Amino acid sequence: DTVPPQVVPGADPSARQLCFAWGPAEVLVCETLFGRAGGCRSRCLSRCPSRSRSRAERGPGAAARALTGSVAGAGEGAPSSSRVFVVRRDQDIYIQTLRKLFNESHGIFMGLQRSEEELAGKSRKAQLVQVSKNYRSVIRACMEDMHQAAVSTRDPALQGQYSTQVSILSAMELIWNLCEILFVEAAAAGPLLLRLLDWVRLHVCDVDSMVREVLSSESPSKHKLFWNVVDVFVLQGRMDEARHLLSKEASANPASMNMYKILDELMKKMPVPSLGNTQTLTELELKWQHWHEECQRYLQDGTFASNPHMESICKILLGDEDAILEKKELMTTWYHFLVTRLLYSHPTVKPMELRFYAQSSMDLFLGGESSPEPLDMILMAAFEFEMHQVIKECSIVLSNWWFVAHLTDLLDHCKLLQSHSLYFGSNMREFLLLEYASGLFSHHSLWQLGVDYFDHCPEFGRVYLELHIERIPLSTEQKALKVLRICEQRQMHEQVRSVCKIMAMKALRNNRLGSALSWSIRAKDAAFATLISDRFLKDYCERGCFSDLDLIDNLGPSMLLSDRLTFLGKYREFHRLYGEKRFPEAARLLLTLMTAHIAPCSFWMTLLTDALPLLEQKEVIFSAEQTYELMRCLEDLTAGNPDKQKFQDDDVETTKVEMLRLALARNLARVIVKEGTVEGS
Amino acid sequence: QDNRISIWSAGDLGNAGLNGEYHGEPHLLCDIQHNGDVMDMQFLDQERIVVASSTGTVTIFRHHQNNQTLSANHRWEKAHYHVDQDTSYGGAACTGVVCNNPEIVTVGEDGRINLFRADQKDAVRTIDNADSSTLHAVTFLRTTEILTVNSIGQLKIWDLRQQRNEPSQIFSLAGDRVPLHCVDRHPNQQHIVATGGQDGMLSIWDIRQGTMPVSLLNAHEAEMWEVHFHPSDPDHLFTCSEDGSLWHWYTSTNVSEKPSFLHQGGRSTAYLSHSTINQSVVSAWLSSDPTKDRMEITNLIPNQTLSVNSLDVLGPCLVYGTDAEAIYVNRQLFA
């Protein structure tokens, strides 16, 4: 249909200025406080090429206030509440029954991309034709489902929607089928006509019910629509079926037996192109000329004069345009008329000649009464072999990029599209695929299909993917994992880091320290691991015990990710050793933590305080060396900031330092004695 | 978002065609709306299904077979939540559910383990902060013990009879702490456990001994989402993965293929019979050298594209679902 792009209902550009902002899948349109200071009407929404209908939804009022706040100023428009509209482009992806179409066609698309150039020549063509047929069967399957849904639903609005979808899908299949015949298969003169006949038979089905009715009646020849059905068969080139029906009439009406016999002979002998190479075109033409002349003779002899039905059939066989045109209602469309004409006047038509016949057929059929519809224009463009025109027209008319994206991709694989650079650098195929895939990304679950489409857009696919994949809402960990896997497989390190950071922060906020750590390990994010360790240490300082021991005790090699994390692990080990009363080892570990500078300076005091009970043990644990080291650490710590010390009237701190000094001195004394003593017995 | 729980009929067994092949596609019997993503589900009994949601809710649905409808029978809202149960935002995804009628155990992203009974309104027992990271899957080890796996690569055994909120045993992988996503226990030999990891590795554990896995098998190229032993024929194992493949692992304990020195002489014969008895008891899964015993691995999906998220197997039937929104039913698994 030819509805121009709709303005967002409710947003009136003539009343006030509108501003808009692009999102990844949506457009926000906002009314500003500024009135319209003259000037042209602006059509907002949908980017160029302008096309498709969009649905608008009212956005939250709070956002509107925020926006108007920012553009408040001198304005002519009267202040009133402003609204924000969320304009979503691709409504179709939310239609439940179309999901099958998207999923299945994704599978076919991937199969096509992977089947690159393995075969050549005829077998490649056969392969491409098969792909085209697969696409079509998916469209048909979807049509079936949609039809079922339309029949079974009780809601009239839904029913209307489904019926519209069915007709759209049927039109898509019609166009695709024609493109398959003309472009993919590139049928040559001869088989071309046969394919076109099949095409017509498949798609003009308004007459099917009538045919069924007549055939199933008791005596078909008595049925009032009998001759209509015979005409239908003749017009569609279904000779055997026509002859079969005519025989019934002949047996019922012996008087016309002669006429019937002759007509039957003519119909039987009619030369048709064959699919195999059994005859050349010239042979066919010759035979056909003969046959044509024979029909001519019979007609002029007045053989069929007494039976107007049979006479008109004979005229049709002769390709008489007027006779064929009389049966307009049985053909219903101009392309049916075209094919019938070709069948009975130029069966050896060449592909390049089609355009002339097509144009004249359409003119004759429509006869100036009605103007061609968009579908007619698309088909005409196909007959004229204007592929780009076909794609362009389809893009304008259809509300979704699915059709043009997949068709263009297929045609590109047939090497039929010249690489036709568009203004912004990519070619048509890539542009359409990018648009289609971008539409998929706004869906909460179909975005996974979009990833594969981006992969096969060599120039801009990666950039688009990088931008889109960061904006997928990560509602569960499983979804985040899928996103991560996609990014990792494509070496998108920035995105990996970004996703892991988001998930880690979320986990941290929810106090899931183990999860946060697991995310930072995945991203190899040392900085975040440090953050988490600091959290643990802070908890320890506040509460005096460790939380999440199962995590800290089992860090394993991931401990090495960040220094702070290593410290945490080792510190916990120290506590464990102490708990198991393995004091010498604990002491050694404690010392290493300080001397090897694994521990952050802020923690040294705590570590030294932890050393106190070890110093106070009955048994001497620290050796002289170790005691000297400890003293040095203490001095380093206290020597750091003498000014600060003066201002601190923190008795606890000074007491601690003093106690430490005392303990260290005592320990030193004991250990010197011990080490100096010769071990007796 | 419109998520639904659906029941499909994969056709009657009596519908086989001339050469015994099954014809016809699964068709939908009934469905019902579900709030949030379905993270896991399991049949509680013939009629009831327990479903874990990404909103943290656990629901029991009843399938009425006489009129082919589904209804929500019971719901535990906010079974899993972060921080505070009362805040509206804060539900945590429930990642795994396992049933042993009438008991239901669920685990979630909040590191919590819940024990429900089908007829009781509140949880029988809740272990808060059972784990500091996300619990990905749970399964029963014995009627009173469960196994959980988490995202820091640990396999934990919990004894539900005990009141303390600590696992009775913790196992972990040696190297990097790769998250584990799925777990399943051998149906007959309860000490054999299989887990699947984020790197696609299949690990077989003997929980009677050691804290490390018995064998590590490099399998898939991406996360392994589910692992299942065949319930009646446990020499068969099935795994599915994010990389779009579904592998069928078959290990045989065929004694006749043992090296010939065992067949020689009188004393060896006695030795042989002794060892054959032992061999038939020790499952081939525990063999430390998977190349010695025969292990066949088949990829059941010819053209893989998107992830296979879930699978289940019973008798000769295998069913699995993919991210391409397709369900596949294979009714002749061992043909």
Side-chain angles (χ1 to χ4, degrees):
Chain A
D1 42 22
T2 51
V3 177
Q6 284 175 327
V7 182
V8 175
D12 189 5
S14 60
R16 47 175 84 189
Q17 282 185 15
L18 298 168
C19 67
F20 42 100
W22 299 111
E26 295 152 343
V27 179
L28 285 178
V29 176
C30 165
E31 296 172 332
T32 68
L33 282 185
F34 300 115
R36 215 55 189 121
C40 49
R41 281 180 74 87
S42 63
R43 282 271 164 99
C44 50
L45 53 102
S46 39
R47 33 212 286 212
C48 26
S50 68
R51 39 135 228 123
S52 80
R53 44 187 90 97
S54 319
R55 278 244 308 264
E57 299 154 26
R58 297 287 164 87
R65 278 195 291 279
L67 268 173
T68 44
S70 65
V71 296
E76 298 167 28
S80 60
S81 64
S82 291
R83 294 162 298 182
V84 174
F85 300 91
V86 178
V87 182
R88 206 178 267 147
R89 199 160 40 130
D90 224 330
Q91 274 301 104
D92 287 353
I93 53 173
Y94 288 92
I95 297 177
Q96 195 63 21
T97 27
L98 281 183
R99 279 172 86 145
K100 186 168 164 174
L101 183 71
F102 298 130
N103 278 294
E104 298 273 326
S105 58
H106 166 260
I108 301 172
F109 175 85
M110 292 303 290
L112 177 59
Q113 309 308 309
R114 285 182 192 157
S115 79
E116 269 313 317
E117 309 302 349
E118 283 159 8
L119 317 157
K122 266 209 189 133
S123 35
R124 175 78 175 149
K125 190 196 268 204
Q127 199 180 41
L128 291 167
V129 170
Q130 187 55 47
V131 169
S132 177
K133 286 193 158 78
N134 289 343
Y135 274 121
R136 281 197 298 129
S137 71
V138 168
I139 300 177
R140 288 198 93 87
C142 215
M143 237 160 57
E144 260 307 308
D145 289 343
M146 199 74 85
H147 183 73
Q148 284 302 325
V151 159
S152 57
T153 184
R154 302 229 188 98
D155 177 9
L158 262 183
Q159 195 172 47
Q161 197 185 52
Y162 288 143
S163 307
T164 323
Q165 276 300 328
V166 171
S167 53
I168 292 176
L169 283 171
S170 144
M172 291 199 321
E173 215 248 308
L174 177 75
I175 301 168
W176 193 300
N177 200 346
L178 185 61
C179 290
E180 180 184 309
I181 297 171
L182 296 177
F183 306 141
V184 182
E185 200 181 343
L192 175 62
L193 183 67
L194 292 176
R195 293 275 183 257
L196 286 175
L197 274 174
D198 284 334
W199 176 65
V200 162
R201 287 172 198 161
L202 195 56
H203 288 102
V204 179
C205 34
D206 294 356
V207 296
D208 281 356
S209 50
M210 177 174 74
V211 169
R212 262 196 303 272
E213 204 187 304
V214 169
L215 285 177
S216 52
S217 71
E218 277 176 17
S219 55
S221 49
K222 297 276 186 289
H223 201 290
K224 62 178 161 76
L225 295 175
F226 171 77
W227 284 108
N228 282 357
V229 175
V230 177
D231 287 337
V232 163
F233 286 150
V234 171
L235 289 167
Q236 289 186 5
R238 289 149 86 170
M239 289 308 176
D240 293 333
E241 289 164 78
R243 287 170 50 216
H244 179 73
L245 266 188
L246 275 178
S247 68
K248 290 207 180 10
E249 150 78 1
S251 49
N253 200 348
S256 52
M257 185 56 82
N258 250 353
M259 277 193 294
Y260 159 70
K261 277 211 186 109
I262 297 171
L263 191 58
D264 187 71
E265 251 330 285
L266 285 177
M267 286 166 75
K268 193 161 100 177
K269 282 197 299 187
M270 177 173 148
V272 280
S274 64
L275 277 173
N277 283 333
T278 49
Q279 57 176 4
T280 64
L281 275 182
T282 4
E283 276 177 29
L284 175 64
E285 277 193 28
L286 269 172
K287 278 198 210 158
W288 191 82
Q289 262 317 111
H290 279 292
W291 175 82
H292 190 91
E293 281 160 10
E294 201 183 329
C295 291
Q296 192 76 25
R297 261 181 286 127
Y298 278 117
L299 184 68
Q300 281 167 352
D301 285 348
T303 329
F304 304 108
S306 52
N307 190 325
H309 293 292
M310 294 215 193
E311 193 177 41
S312 95
I313 289 176
C314 188
K315 284 197 189 152
I316 292 172
L317 290 180
L318 281 171
D320 184 274
E321 279 170 15
D322 299 317
I324 302 175
L325 267 178
E326 266 175 42
K327 312 288 176 189
K328 229 168 144 176
E329 281 86 45
L330 295 178
M331 291 191 290
T332 66
T333 57
W334 63 271
Y335 37 94
H336 189 327
F337 174 55
L338 163 68
V339 175
T340 309
R341 250 180 99 197
L342 290 172
L343 175 64
Y344 294 117
S345 50
H346 308 274
T348 55
V349 63
K350 298 195 186 49
M352 286 305 149
E353 295 169 352
L354 276 176
R355 64 181 68 210
F356 310 114
Y357 294 113
Q359 190 60 54
S360 57
S361 300
M362 185 159 88
D363 294 335
L364 281 171
F365 193 89
L366 296 177
E369 292 168 359
S370 43
S371 52
E373 299 195 342
L375 177 61
D376 299 326
M377 299 314 297
I378 295 171
L379 293 171
M380 181 62 72
F383 283 121
E384 290 173 353
F385 280 78
E386 296 280 346
M387 264 173 269
H388 291 274
Q389 186 69 16
V390 172
I391 295 167
K392 182 172 155 205
E393 298 270 339
C394 288
S395 312
I396 294 174
V397 165
L398 292 169
S399 61
N400 179 285
W401 293 109
W402 180 89
F403 180 77
V404 284
H406 288 89
L407 182 62
T408 312
D409 175 65
L410 179 61
L411 293 177
D412 189 70
H413 274 89
C414 300
K415 306 256 189 288
L416 289 171
L417 297 176
Q418 316 126 311
S419 56
H420 196 101
S421 247
L422 300 174
Y423 288 120
F424 34 88
S426 63
N427 61 17
M428 165 117 73
R429 168 189 171 271
E430 182 156 324
F431 169 72
L432 292 171
L433 283 176
L434 290 171
E435 290 291 308
Y436 172 62
S438 305
L440 284 176
F441 259 88
S442 58
H443 193 274
H444 57 88
S445 141
L446 289 174
W447 60 270
Q448 287 180 288
L449 305 177
V451 172
D452 284 321
Y453 285 102
F454 279 139
D455 279 344
H456 290 101
C457 293
E459 262 198 73
F460 291 118
R462 195 188 162 87
V463 173
Y464 268 68
L465 182 59
E466 282 173 5
L467 291 173
H468 276 283
I469 203 134
E470 279 191 321
R471 286 162 175 79
I472 295 171
L474 304 170
S475 46
T476 62
E477 286 202 357
Q478 197 172 17
K479 207 165 173 187
L481 287 170
K482 285 183 188 275
V483 170
L484 268 182
R485 183 60 61 183
I486 290 170
C487 294
E488 279 176 1
Q489 278 171 346
R490 291 156 181 78
Q491 272 97 41
M492 294 183 176
H493 301 297
E494 273 306 310
Q495 281 67 32
V496 169
R497 265 196 291 274
S498 156
V499 170
C500 284
K501 248 203 191 84
I502 294 171
M503 294 309 291
M505 270 318 282
K506 262 199 214 168
L508 208 57
R509 236 182 283 134
N510 288 323
N511 227 14
R512 316 292 320 142
L513 293 175
S515 295
L517 187 63
S518 132
W519 289 109
S520 36
I521 291 173
R522 177 101 184 241
K524 304 205 193 356
D525 192 345
F528 214 89
T530 309
L531 192 77
I532 296 168
S533 321
D534 279 337
R535 258 291 269 277
F536 271 115
L537 292 169
K538 198 169 83 126
D539 276 352
Y540 170 76
C541 288
E542 282 170 12
R543 287 192 283 157
C545 65
F546 284 106
S547 61
D548 304 318
L549 279 176
D550 63 334
L551 171 64
I552 311 176
D553 277 342
N554 294 297
L555 279 174
S558 58
M559 209 193 293
L560 300 171
L561 182 62
S562 119
D563 284 342
R564 196 59 51 81
L565 197 56
T566 318
F567 167 66
L568 181 66
K570 293 284 172 201
Y571 189 51
R572 166 67 197 148
E573 202 182 319
F574 163 72
H575 277 269
R576 247 211 340 256
L577 289 169
Y578 189 89
E580 291 168 10
K581 303 223 190 296
R582 289 152 69 181
F583 297 128
E585 290 166 55
R588 235 174 292 132
L589 183 57
L590 188 64
L591 204 52
T592 333
L593 285 177
M594 282 192 284
T595 50
H597 293 284
I598 302 175
C601 290
S602 51
F603 223 74
W604 278 20
M605 205 56 214
T606 321
L607 287 175
L608 286 167
T609 323
D610 283 330
L612 257 178
L614 287 174
L615 292 165
E616 301 291 335
Q617 291 280 338
K618 280 215 188 87
E619 211 189 305
V620 172
I621 298 167
F622 286 102
S623 72
E625 279 290 322
Q626 290 173 330
T627 318
Y628 282 127
E629 284 292 329
L630 279 173
M631 289 169 133
R632 191 178 57 78
C633 290
L634 182 58
E635 289 314 309
D636 281 342
L637 197 57
T638 50
N641 251 326
D643 302 315
K644 229 178 161 183
Q645 288 286 27
K646 277 194 209 135
F647 282 98
Q648 269 181 8
D649 51 349
D650 193 352
D651 288 327
V652 182
E653 281 300 311
T654 36
T655 323
K656 255 202 244 174
V657 172
E658 280 178 19
M659 276 181 67
L660 271 169
R661 289 219 174 93
L662 182 60
L664 282 167
R666 282 216 290 254
N667 190 61
L668 188 58
R670 287 194 299 162
V671 81
I672 289 177
V673 170
K674 177 176 171 228
E675 282 175 6
T677 313
V678 173
E679 287 285 303
S681 47
Chain B
Q1 288 194 27
D2 186 28
N3 295 315
R4 310 189 79 81
I5 304 281
S6 319
I7 306 233
W8 300 74
S9 156
D12 304 317
L13 280 169
N15 233 350
L18 282 173
N19 41 358
E21 274 173 18
Y22 174 68
H23 300 289
E25 289 182 2
H27 67 273
L28 181 66
L29 290 178
C30 50
D31 62 7
I32 189 169
Q33 222 250 332
H34 179 261
N35 211 5
D37 296 341
V38 175
M39 306 296 293
D40 199 4
M41 62 183 178
Q42 196 170 42
F43 272 96
L44 179 62
D45 54 25
Q46 283 279 19
E47 291 188 336
R48 290 181 294 178
I49 307 154
V50 184
V51 179
S53 163
S54 63
T55 58
T57 306
V58 180
T59 320
I60 302 184
F61 289 97
R62 184 183 286 273
H63 175 217
H64 306 273
Q65 280 166 357
N66 47 357
N67 60 352
Q68 289 303 348
T69 52
L70 276 169
S71 62
N73 197 353
H74 191 97
R75 184 170 278 141
W76 290 285
E77 305 258 351
K78 294 280 168 53
H80 292 275
Y81 55 92
H82 285 304
V83 188
D84 189 358
Q85 202 170 24
D86 295 326
T87 54
S88 54
Y89 177 79
C94 175
T95 51
V97 69
V98 70
C99 310
N100 189 6
N101 203 359
E103 290 183 334
I104 302 167
V105 179
T106 70
V107 292
E109 278 181 16
D110 54 353
R112 181 171 280 117
I113 301 178
N114 286 318
L115 174 62
F116 298 104
R117 281 186 81 91
D119 41 6
Q120 286 181 8
K121 188 165 160 295
D122 293 320
V124 168
R125 179 152 173 221
T126 302
I127 305 178
D128 283 326
N129 220 11
D131 202 308
S132 60
S133 64
T134 303
L135 288 166
H136 284 294
V138 63
T139 190
F140 274 102
L141 181 62
R142 297 186 179 86
T143 40
T144 53
E145 290 184 332
I146 55 171
L147 286 163
T148 60
V149 287
N150 65 10
S151 59
I152 40 177
Q154 294 172 328
L155 172 67
K156 294 183 181 174
I157 303 182
W158 301 82
D159 191 341
L160 297 173
R161 287 169 303 191
Q162 295 188 5
Q163 275 311 112
R164 60 180 194 141
N165 289 348
E166 298 281 320
S168 49
Q169 227 178 332
I170 301 182
F171 302 84
S172 50
L173 298 164
D176 285 326
R177 295 289 186 254
V178 176
L180 293 173
H181 284 289
C182 50
V183 63
D184 197 21
R185 191 208 72 199
H186 195 286
N188 307 331
Q189 304 187 20
Q190 294 180 342
H191 52 273
I192 302 180
V193 172
T195 61
Q198 202 171 78
D199 52 359
M201 184 111 60
L202 173 68
S203 316
I204 310 281
W205 311 70
D206 182 347
I207 57 174
R208 296 172 306 190
Q209 54 201 31
T211 54
M212 306 240 292
V214 167
S215 47
L216 294 167
L217 302 157
N218 228 329
H220 297 277
E221 289 161 8
E223 286 85 352
M224 187 189 295
W225 293 125
E226 289 204 14
V227 62
H228 287 271
F229 281 100
H230 192 288
S232 46
D233 202 350
D235 283 339
H236 297 266
L237 180 81
F238 297 87
T239 59
C240 68
S241 161
E242 174 74 21
D243 68 2
S245 60
L246 196 159
W247 289 21
H248 171 187
W249 307 67
Y250 172 55
T251 173
S252 59
T253 49
N254 203 338
V255 180
S256 60
E257 302 211 333
K258 287 289 169 276
S260 54
F261 72 84
L262 285 176
H263 294 271
Q264 291 165 4
R267 240 179 60 195
S268 308
T269 321
Y271 180 67
L272 172 66
S273 49
H274 177 70
S275 62
T276 47
I277 293 172
N278 271 348
Q279 286 286 25
S280 57
V281 167
V282 172
S283 168
W285 291 114
L286 290 183
S287 144
S288 46
D289 185 358
T291 56
K292 255 206 306 201
D293 279 319
R294 262 188 336 150
M295 185 169 318
E296 286 171 26
I297 308 172
T298 343
N299 184 0
L300 294 178
I301 302 183
N303 319 313
Q304 52 196 63
T305 44
L306 294 180
S307 160
V308 180
N309 290 324
S310 179
L311 75 95
D312 206 356
V313 60
L314 185 68
C317 300
L318 170 75
V319 61
Y320 61 93
T322 68
D323 263 341
E325 304 187 7
I327 307 173
Y328 296 82
V329 180
N330 182 344
R331 297 179 63 105
Q332 292 178 321
L333 201 46
F334 302 115

